[in-house]
């Protein structure tokens, strides 16, 4: 088993444990768990393609094991986490350093918060909520929740960044991404293209719903 695979299973175990143990319900229908912190760290260490795959695996298992919000909650959870984690890891990979962790975290927080406005609108209006109710929910709860959640996750990632890198180096698990590797560049392009589509899709769906 190579270091990449070992790290995948280590972070998979950590994020699942965090999802199960540390869950904070927030009115009216939100839950905070700290899995995005470790998914973000994993993305920083192994890059956007690996972060994308691990995020899908973790949130799919979370749906089966601990989620009570059904398929709608799964979609919003998946989209929110993918946008934050993948954008952070992609920005960081452009110039891997602590400064880029901060920049990537802030940018991914803003973009993820903005795009989730449209996802929430499309999904909630497809349920029993009226458009006025949905708009009020978005303004009062969705925007503040997503913004402060991602900002807090960024803060925690910044605190854990150096200790985690040192710990992985100590046990010879540190992995330096070769951004010039052809296969990595192709994979990176594919998964970032998926993220871009995810950013455009809810806006398009909202427009055609009118």
């Amino acid at each position: 088993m190579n270091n990449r695979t070992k790290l995948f299973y280590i972070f998979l175990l950590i994020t699942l444990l965090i999802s199960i143990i540390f869950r904070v319900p927030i009115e009216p229908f939100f839950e905070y768990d700290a899995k995005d912190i470790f998914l973000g760290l994993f993305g920083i260490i192994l890059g956007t393609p690996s972060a994308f795959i691990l995020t899908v695996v973790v949130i799919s298992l979370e749906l089966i094991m601990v989620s009570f919000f059904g398929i709608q909650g799964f979609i919003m959870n998946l989209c929110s986490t993918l946008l934050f984690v993948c954008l952070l890891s992609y920005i960081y990979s452009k110039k891997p350093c602590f400064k880029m962790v901060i920049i990537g975290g802030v940018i991914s927080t803003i973009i993820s918060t903005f795009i989730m406005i449209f996802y929430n609108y499309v999904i909630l209006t497809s349920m029993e909520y009226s458009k006025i109710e949905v708009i009020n929910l978005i303004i009062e709860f969705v925007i503040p929740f997503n913004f402060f959640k991602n900002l807090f996750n960024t803060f925690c990632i910044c605190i854990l960044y150096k200790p985690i890198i040192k710990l992985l180096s100590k046990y010879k698990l540190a992995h330096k991404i070769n951004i010039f590797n052809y296969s990595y560049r192709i994979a990176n392009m594919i998964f970032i293209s998926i993220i871009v589509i995810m950013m455009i899709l809810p806006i398009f769906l909202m427009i055609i719903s009118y």
Side-chain angles (χ1 to χ4, degrees):
M1 187 182 294
N2 60 34
N3 286 353
R4 179 182 288 271
T5 306
K6 288 178 182 177
L7 282 174
F8 183 91
Y9 286 116
I10 289 170
F11 275 89
L12 175 60
L13 178 61
I14 291 171
T15 49
L16 281 177
L17 286 174
I18 291 294
S19 294
I20 294 169
I21 296 170
F22 188 77
R23 303 182 71 84
V24 181
I26 299 172
E27 294 295 335
F29 47 72
F30 299 109
E31 267 192 343
Y32 173 78
D33 67 72
K35 69 177 182 300
D36 290 13
I37 296 169
F38 295 94
L39 290 170
L41 286 166
F42 182 79
I44 285 170
I45 296 164
L46 284 180
T48 304
S50 297
F52 189 103
I53 293 168
L54 181 63
T55 298
V56 172
V57 171
V58 167
I59 294 181
S60 297
L61 291 173
E62 188 181 41
L63 173 67
I64 298 168
M65 297 168 65
V66 293
S67 178
F68 300 101
F69 296 106
I71 192 65
Q72 292 91 350
F74 167 78
I75 292 170
M76 287 193 277
N77 189 13
L78 180 65
C79 292
S80 176
T81 303
L82 281 175
L83 287 168
F84 175 75
V85 170
C86 292
L87 289 171
L88 167 61
S89 60
Y90 180 75
I91 293 167
Y92 173 83
S93 69
K94 294 303 175 183
K95 189 179 179 182
C97 63
F98 181 70
K99 180 181 177 181
M100 292 304 285
V101 177
I102 299 172
I103 294 172
V106 171
I107 292 174
S108 61
T109 291
I110 294 169
I111 293 176
S112 176
T113 300
F114 177 71
I115 297 300
M116 288 312 297
I117 292 171
F118 300 96
Y119 272 107
N120 277 273
Y121 181 87
V122 171
I123 291 173
L124 292 174
T125 52
S126 70
M127 299 164 67
E128 72 274 14
Y129 298 97
S130 68
K131 290 182 179 180
I132 296 298
E133 287 176 318
V134 170
I135 291 170
N136 288 335
L137 280 170
I138 288 172
I139 294 171
E140 293 178 21
F141 298 104
V142 172
I143 294 174
F145 173 77
N146 284 318
F147 180 77
F148 288 110
K149 176 192 72 171
N150 289 333
L151 209 59
F152 176 74
N153 290 337
T154 298
F155 175 74
C156 293
I157 289 169
C158 290
I159 290 175
L160 292 172
Y161 170 73
K162 290 183 180 179
I164 290 291
I165 295 297
K166 286 181 180 178
L167 181 65
L168 294 176
S169 298
K170 179 180 177 180
Y171 290 98
K172 299 180 179 179
L173 288 170
H175 181 90
K176 188 174 182 179
I177 303 168
N178 182 4
I179 61 174
F180 300 106
N181 179 276
Y182 180 74
S183 59
Y184 173 81
R185 290 171 67 182
I186 293 297
N188 211 30
M189 183 175 67
I190 291 170
F191 285 105
I192 282 299
S193 297
I194 295 172
I195 295 298
V196 171
I197 292 170
M198 286 176 58
M199 292 166 62
I200 296 171
L201 180 61
I203 299 174
F204 173 75
L205 291 174
M206 180 177 170
I207 291 171
I208 65 172
S209 69
Y210 275 96

